[in-house]
Amino acid sequence: MRFGYTLLTEQAGPGPLVGHAAGAERAGFDFAVMSDHHSPWLDSQGHAPYAWSVLGAVTQATERLELMTYVTCPTMRYHPAVVAQKAATIQELSGGRFLLGLGAGENLNEHVVGRGWPPVNVRHEMLSEALEIIGDLFDGGYTNFAGHHFRVDSAKLWDLPEWRVPIGVAVSGAQSVRRFAPVSDAMIAVDPEAELCRGWDAARSALRQETSRKIGQIPVSWDADEQAAVRRAREQFRWFAGGWKVNAELPGTAAFDAATRFVTEEDVAAAIPCGASTERVVRSARAFLDAGFTDLALVQVGGDRQEPFLEAAEREILPALREAAGRS
């Protein structure tokens, strides 16, 4: 298993995020993922810079760290042809270190363009068309497309990187696994469900495709003061409690605040490793390892608490995780 660091745009501004990326590379993380949001989940998080500008800066502040969006919705806020152009540019700037993570999106971020919020089956249709458009553009030459949801008129990537951009797709159940495993280079999921990994590999095997990466994510609230860690996790990360099917539908921070106001500190502490216990982080990570995931990104809760976490990651968290995963 490879271990990554999360550049959470919801909890830090653009300048600090670039610094955190450089710190993650120095600490020894294998890769860094970045959220791509127009809004934080909760007002208490307080940030939402434009991810792609930050990624461009991160490519110049790092040298070896693989970079990834986790994840971009290429269907409403962004047209898929524009996503392809952005991804190709980041791949060129990074020297081949970029993976484009895509998903069907959340109402929280996509409603801002005023097109309404379609049901999940329509969102999957839109994502399928977007993947086709992006893949065609990555192939080079001119792309024309006339689908049910998108049109593309004579588009071309004029700066096509030497290294084709791999694509990961976020999934949450059997339907999305069957649909996107054959057309993706990696699986992205936030729940440590072995069935997702087995289904993903089976869908690819049926088409005689190689097994691929499966990339998960866990939140951590690292702090020498355990109560402060729990309190911060509830203030800024209780939005996760509704589960992804609910989180995709809520329209704004007020809705997430109302939906999670009865989540207690005890609830959060039971779900997120809080305090300065490496053992708890390893236990949380092991669920993904046992489920069959190949990569795991850690999210440190709190935009102003990244430096102590990165120091602890280099000193003790990453060595413990790699030992648990059988890596030296």
Side-chain angles (χ1 to χ4, degrees):
M1 178 175 275
R2 299 168 74 246
F3 296 98
Y5 172 79
T6 300
L7 297 159
L8 199 70
T9 60
E10 300 97 287
Q11 66 178 12
L17 286 167
V18 176
H20 298 159
E25 183 170 80
R26 289 193 299 270
F29 281 95
D30 300 307
F31 63 98
V33 307
M34 179 176 284
S35 56
D36 184 358
H37 281 211
H38 196 272
S39 169
W41 299 101
L42 295 165
D43 287 353
S44 56
Q45 291 179 311
H47 293 276
Y50 183 56
W52 293 89
S53 297
V54 180
L55 273 173
V58 167
T59 66
Q60 305 306 292
T62 58
E63 295 179 354
R64 61 159 188 82
L65 202 66
E66 182 189 17
L67 306 173
M68 185 185 315
T69 49
Y70 201 101
V71 294
T72 290
C73 176
T75 61
M76 297 185 70
R77 208 169 18 126
Y78 309 135
H79 189 281
V82 176
V83 172
Q85 182 187 33
K86 293 191 287 191
T89 300
I90 295 297
Q91 186 72 312
E92 188 75 14
L93 284 170
S94 68
R97 292 185 283 134
F98 182 61
L99 186 151
L100 176 61
L102 298 176
E106 302 97 15
N107 194 3
L108 174 73
N109 302 297
E110 307 308 315
H111 79 274
V112 297
V113 295
R115 293 178 54 191
W117 185 235
V120 66
N121 61 307
V122 175
R123 302 200 300 266
H124 284 175
E125 290 173 4
M126 296 172 75
L127 182 56
S128 292
E129 287 191 10
L131 283 164
E132 186 175 346
I133 292 165
I134 292 168
D136 284 350
L137 286 164
F138 286 169
D139 286 340
Y142 287 93
T143 291
N144 293 280
F145 184 87
H148 184 67
H149 300 284
F150 298 106
R151 293 187 65 89
V152 178
D153 181 13
S154 192
K156 178 181 177 178
L157 297 179
W158 288 92
D159 289 280
L160 194 67
E162 176 184 350
W163 314 270
R164 184 185 179 91
V165 181
I167 296 175
V169 174
V171 298
S172 58
Q175 178 182 347
S176 53
V177 164
R178 287 192 300 270
R179 185 165 201 152
F180 298 116
V183 294
S184 309
D185 300 300
M187 183 189 92
I188 296 170
V190 294
D191 293 317
E193 296 180 7
E195 192 57 39
L196 290 176
C197 295
R198 286 194 294 266
W200 185 270
D201 288 342
R204 293 181 62 82
S205 178
L207 297 175
R208 298 185 178 178
Q209 296 173 325
E210 295 181 355
T211 58
S212 65
R213 295 169 68 181
K214 291 166 279 287
I215 306 162
Q217 186 182 58
I218 59 169
V220 175
S221 188
W222 186 270
D223 200 307
D225 184 337
E226 186 170 330
Q227 273 308 111
V230 172
R231 189 163 53 249
R232 185 173 64 252
R234 186 194 177 276
E235 289 172 354
Q236 297 193 24
F237 240 78
R238 68 182 184 276
W239 58 267
F240 76 92
W244 215 251
K245 294 185 185 301
V246 173
N247 291 347
E249 306 300 333
L250 298 179
T253 56
F256 277 95
D257 183 59
T260 60
R261 60 183 169 176
F262 297 118
V263 175
T264 66
E265 291 186 358
E266 289 74 19
D267 295 330
V268 172
I272 296 176
C274 294
S277 169
T278 301
E279 182 182 348
R280 291 178 193 168
V281 178
V282 170
R283 191 184 312 132
S284 186
R286 188 173 292 282
F288 284 85
L289 181 65
D290 292 345
F293 284 76
T294 62
D295 300 72
L296 186 65
L298 278 61
V299 186
Q300 164 66 1
V301 177
D304 61 346
R305 301 300 300 169
Q306 300 304 301
E307 285 78 9
F309 170 74
L310 290 170
E311 292 171 5
E314 181 177 10
R315 183 180 64 250
E316 56 186 297
I317 299 172
L318 285 173
L321 287 170
R322 288 175 176 139
E323 181 180 3
R327 279 180 60 190
S328 58

